[in-house]
Amino acid sequence: MARRLRLAFLALLAIAGATPAAAQVRAVDLYAPRAFGYVIGDALTLTADITLDAPFTLDPAALPTPRALNYWLDLREVRLDDHGVEGGQHRYTLGLTYQTFYAPLEPRRLDIPAIALSATDGARRVAVNVPGWSFLSSPLREVMTSTPGQAMTLRPDTAPRMIPTAGTRHALLASLVIALGALAVLAWQMGWWPFHRRRARPFAMAARAMAGALGSPSSESAYRGSLMALHRAFDTTAGHGLFAEDLPGFFAAHPAFRAVEGEVRRLFAVSRDVFFGGDAPGAQRALPPGELLALARRLRAVEREAS
Amino acid sequence: MSIERRRTGRLVILSSVAVLVIGLAGALWFGARLHAERADNATIAALAAGQEVAVSPDAAPEVLFARLHFFTYRDRLDEAQPLLNRLAVDGNRPLAVASLYDMANARLRLAIDHLGTNDIDPAIPLVRLAKDGYRRALTLDPGFWDAKYNLDIAMRLVRDFPQIDVDGEEIPPEAAKRLWTDLPGLPQGLP
């Protein structure tokens, strides 16, 4: 909204028989946009601030309805904001949007008619006059064209356009990425391909189990259990029960473990002493629990590198 | 594996399955939409290339508009009218504006053709309908300059006068004759 145009102050009329209306309608201030340079089809909005004395309220039934006011002027929108009573005065803001369809041949002043509203306190009615306004309407084209035929040359049609698909494509891509990410998490958790090796790490599991069991002070049963765990890891890696006699075949099939061949042979010798020779204390001296654990960790490292 | 680890594992599995289902459903939905949009764009391209492709009445508004444009461009106004009725009340405001404008353009072009051959009687209702179309387009989009320009041309062909509105829809014949005295001149440069 541009300048304040106080076109009418105290625009009021008393209905016959009522007390002087000046006491009821305090002010009607009209705020208008620029008053020039409107062409055919332009919309313009007038705003009126209406102040009434407190018991009086605007009658909503008296508001104009959006319609064609005459052959060139449409009232497009009517908006009434009630600001409530403050200091004994009831304030309203009335917004009126008009659209002009006047096609002038030269700049021409056009009038927007005044609007008569009414206010009531239940018993009395007073008229509230929103003043009219005028603006300059300008032509869009010259009257006589210099080039023949140009006067009848229409602006081109609006051509049909393709439906933009980029948004849908991006949404599709995002959904696929989300689904793929969820699938990856699921596969990792379930140990599916390509995470199947994560599950197949028997030495890692054995090392983890032994780290708990062989904590100080280590008992004989814990030592035996640790040996069993390592053997089970060898069995799982080889795919069958592995005994000292099978070790050459195992190293041929899993060359990565050649790096620890000596220690593995020592382990197998020790476990033979423990399980079949009944010399557990001697075996513990030959391969103390600490070294056993270190061997398990080396095996785990070899396994991790090999996978 | 401890109970807590197992519970975490189950939680990871459940949530990843849920996200996977959501992702797949989204992919299906958007995939189907993309497919439909591609098919619609193929129809629009075919219509623009001048092939008369049949279009279902409940097709996408963009397709309906392409078909409307196909008809208005070829002066087949009777076939375009039902499409316009549908597009003008649909929620898609830019397409409603474009449909009203294209239809009004077609009518005005036809009217100017009639005027070029001094065939004035059929031209009057065409100009009136064209003006009405431009006005409706401008009501929806007051900043549409092409519609303002063409409405101005139509206005100078047949000027609006207060008494017409007082008389309502029916124009008395003498009023129509009075209108044509206001015609600034027949179009120049046309055959």
Side-chain angles (χ1 to χ4, degrees), chain A residues 140-163:
Chain A
L140 208 54
R141 303 179 304 138
E142 70 269 56
V143 177
M144 299 291 286
T145 53
S146 44
T147 39
Q150 201 193 0
M152 291 296 140
T153 310
L154 300 181
R155 298 289 301 155
D157 278 1
T158 304
R161 254 183 276 164
M162 295 286 174
I163 302 169

Side-chain angles (χ1 to χ4, degrees), chain A residues 40 42 71 74 76 99 101 103 141-142 149 154-158 160 163 168 172 175 179 182 186 189-190, chain B residues 9 13 16 20 27 37 41 101-102 105 109 135 138-139 146 148-150 152 155-156 159 162 165 188:
Chain A
I40 187 165
D42 276 354
Y71 73 99
D74 283 4
R76 288 273 311 283
Q99 192 170 16
F101 289 103
R141 303 179 304 138
E142 70 269 56
L154 300 181
R155 298 289 301 155
D157 278 1
T158 304
I163 302 169
T168 316
L172 175 62
S175 320
L186 191 63
Q189 181 63 31
M190 301 293 282
Chain B
I13 291 173
S16 61
L20 178 66
E37 283 175 352
N41 278 347
Y101 172 73
D102 277 9
N105 271 1
R109 271 196 304 265
R135 271 180 89 134
L138 282 169
T139 307
D146 283 354
K148 292 184 186 195
Y149 188 91
N150 288 358
D152 196 69
M155 285 287 202
R156 290 198 193 172
R159 289 196 71 77
D165 290 277
Q188 299 164 350

Side-chain angles (χ1 to χ4, degrees), chain B residues 10-185:
Chain B
R10 200 179 303 155
L11 198 71
V12 169
I13 291 173
L14 278 179
S15 48
S16 61
V17 164
V19 173
L20 178 66
V21 166
I22 291 170
L24 283 180
L28 264 178
W29 163 257
F30 287 114
R33 221 174 97 179
L34 187 65
H35 181 75
E37 283 175 352
R38 290 245 166 97
D40 283 350
N41 278 347
T43 310
I44 293 172
L47 284 166
Q51 302 166 30
E52 188 171 352
V53 186
V55 165
S56 128
D58 43 46
E62 287 87 353
V63 179
L64 291 182
F65 174 64
R67 183 135 167 104
L68 176 127
H69 183 79
F70 176 88
F71 286 136
T72 56
Y73 186 71
R74 287 162 180 77
D75 292 340
R76 288 158 68 174
L77 302 186
D78 291 344
E79 286 157 288
Q81 187 63 50
L83 296 166
L84 175 65
N85 295 347
R86 181 173 286 269
L87 283 163
V89 295
D90 261 3
N92 194 329
R93 185 178 276 232
L95 281 182
V97 170
S99 312
L100 288 163
Y101 172 73
D102 277 9
M103 188 70 164
N105 271 1
R107 287 188 165 127
L108 192 53
R109 271 196 304 265
L110 214 56
I112 291 172
D113 284 351
H114 283 306
L115 293 178
T117 54
N118 254 341
D119 198 3
I120 288 172
D121 282 342
I124 299 170
L126 281 170
V127 175
R128 281 177 61 86
L129 286 169
K131 281 200 290 194
D132 188 54
Y134 291 131
R135 271 180 89 134
R136 284 172 68 193
L138 282 169
T139 307
L140 294 174
D141 178 10
F144 190 9
W145 283 98
D146 283 354
K148 292 184 186 195
Y149 188 91
N150 288 358
L151 175 57
D152 196 69
I153 292 176
M155 285 287 202
R156 290 198 193 172
L157 282 178
V158 182
R159 289 196 71 77
D160 279 340
F161 278 104
Q163 59 261 42
I164 294 175
D165 290 277
V166 171
D167 290 343
E169 282 304 301
E170 285 296 315
I171 323 167
E174 62 275 10
K177 280 196 190 100
R178 249 187 291 133
L179 277 183
W180 283 97
T181 57
D182 204 64
L183 188 70

Side-chain angles (χ1 to χ4, degrees), chain A residues 111-228:
Chain A
D111 292 313
I112 290 177
I115 289 179
L117 304 174
S118 73
T120 176
D121 66 346
R124 294 166 297 170
R125 290 182 79 83
V126 290
V128 180
N129 233 21
V130 179
W133 191 61
S134 72
F135 61 93
L136 271 176
S137 176
S138 303
L140 208 54
R141 303 179 304 138
E142 70 269 56
V143 177
M144 299 291 286
T145 53
S146 44
T147 39
Q150 201 193 0
M152 291 296 140
T153 310
L154 300 181
R155 298 289 301 155
D157 278 1
T158 304
R161 254 183 276 164
M162 295 286 174
I163 302 169
T165 57
T168 316
R169 237 178 17 241
H170 290 157
L172 175 62
L173 211 66
S175 320
L176 285 176
V177 166
I178 288 170
L180 215 64
L183 190 64
V185 170
L186 191 63
W188 180 78
Q189 181 63 31
M190 301 293 282
W192 293 340
W193 188 91
F195 303 106
H196 57 294
R197 285 176 187 281
R198 194 176 87 88
R199 292 275 135 175
R201 279 190 186 167
F203 285 109
M205 284 167 74
R208 198 185 304 141
M210 285 162 68
L214 286 181
S216 59
S218 65
S219 65
E220 196 186 315
S221 68
Y223 190 76
R224 288 172 74 102
S226 301
L227 282 177
M228 288 290 283

